[in-house]
Amino acid sequence: MKKFLVVIEKTLNNYSAYSPDLPGCVATGETIEETEKNMYEAIDLHIQGMIEDNMTIPESTSIAEYVVVR
């Protein structure tokens, strides 16, 4: 089992998501929940494609932190 950071951002009309550790793997949705579901499916397909192409699945090295600024 692998674990990947997913960043979800609000756009003008919907939400978009990407994983810094999987370049080119993106998804969108009308809600955060839909975007999460679509991104899960996108990651699954992305990894399946990498396996079929005999590519190494990368280890997740990205982290995210909230910083409080006063």
Side-chain angles (χ1 to χ4, degrees), residues 1 8 12 17 21-22 28 33 47 50 52 54 66 68:
M1 180 185 302
I8 299 174
L12 289 176
D21 296 307
L22 297 169
T28 63
E33 294 78 16
I47 289 174
M50 292 180 77
E52 289 173 8
N54 294 317
Y66 280 98
V68 178

Side-chain angles (χ1 to χ4, degrees), residues 3-4 6-7 15-16 22 25 30 47 52-53 60 62-63 68 70:
K3 185 175 172 180
F4 293 99
V6 170
V7 177
Y15 292 87
S16 65
L22 297 169
C25 186
E30 291 185 19
I47 289 174
E52 289 173 8
D53 292 340
S60 182
S62 297
I63 59 171
V68 178
R70 296 176 196 230

Side-chain angles (χ1 to χ4, degrees), residues 45-55 57:
L45 288 171
H46 191 86
I47 289 174
Q48 288 300 323
M50 292 180 77
I51 291 169
E52 289 173 8
D53 292 340
N54 294 317
M55 297 174 71
I57 308 305

